[in-house]
Amino acid sequence: NMTLVKSVEGDQVGPVEFGIVRFAFASLVFLPFLKKEDVDETGVLQPAIELGTLAFLGYGMQAVGLLTADASRCSFISAITVIAVPIVAGLSGQKIKLINWIAAGISLAGVSLLESGGEPSVGDFWALGSSLMFATHIVRTEKYSKKLPSTASVPLLALQLFTITTLATLSAGLLYG
């Protein structure tokens, strides 16, 4: 994913344009499965907008990070998402076992040691922000998956994709006026 995004962004289009095209196509794939009654009956609209916004921020930060950092470095930093999930869950009030806190700390220390080669770039910080957005997205998705009916999964995904596409399009309007 990182190598493809870096390659496309570097040669053909910017991160905003790539995001619009990428998520517009994904949205169109799910359009036939999205029914108004499913959205109304499941109460999925607000969760989908929240989750879509988090995903948009994650993908956007990832794309911006790739403008100034190597794809391999951004990919490595994105592995912090796995470590950040229990941290974000704990900070949001979920009970996390002590062993998980210890494992997250050790993992974070290990990633830091492995990542310490070379000077950090602005892109590294964007990649880290992306990881935190995706971790928050995972934690919030878990919360909603427990609350929403099982019939909400496809509308939830479809509306997240439409939210990402809409926010990317609005971003293009703000950036390029």
Side-chain angles (χ1 to χ4, degrees):
N1 178 41
M2 299 282 186
T3 305
L4 173 67
V5 173
K6 178 91 172 170
S7 171
V8 171
E9 285 180 356
D11 297 334
Q12 284 95 26
V13 296
V16 175
E17 296 88 348
F18 183 69
I20 292 170
V21 172
R22 179 181 184 187
F23 290 103
F25 277 118
S27 297
L28 290 174
V29 168
F30 281 91
L31 187 61
F33 304 103
L34 188 60
K35 298 180 180 91
K36 184 181 181 331
E37 56 271 10
D38 289 340
V39 173
D40 293 341
E41 291 172 12
T42 60
V44 76
L45 185 60
Q46 183 275 327
I49 291 171
E50 176 189 333
L51 295 172
T53 301
L54 289 167
F56 165 76
L57 291 170
Y59 285 115
M61 289 177 172
Q62 178 186 84
V64 172
L66 284 166
L67 292 174
T68 59
D70 294 339
S72 60
R73 194 167 168 112
C74 279
S75 181
F76 192 76
I77 294 171
S78 74
I80 292 173
T81 299
V82 176
I83 301 164
V85 169
I87 294 169
V88 170
L91 293 174
S92 68
Q94 290 185 29
K95 292 192 181 210
I96 306 298
K97 294 178 183 176
L98 178 60
I99 191 71
N100 292 346
W101 283 111
I102 293 169
I106 291 169
S107 298
L108 188 56
V111 169
S112 298
L113 288 172
L114 292 170
E115 181 54 33
S116 63
E119 291 295 315
S121 71
V122 172
D124 293 347
F125 293 103
W126 283 106
L128 180 60
S130 170
S131 294
L132 295 174
M133 288 298 111
F134 286 131
T136 304
H137 180 270
I138 291 167
V139 170
R140 299 297 290 166
T141 299
E142 178 186 26
K143 174 194 172 206
Y144 288 123
S145 69
K146 291 176 181 175
K147 286 175 62 174
L148 295 170
S150 60
T151 56
S153 59
V154 172
L156 182 66
L157 176 58
L159 290 171
Q160 282 183 72
L161 292 168
F162 283 109
T163 299
I164 296 167
T165 304
T166 301
L167 291 174
T169 304
L170 290 172
S171 294
L174 290 172
L175 289 172
Y176 305 119

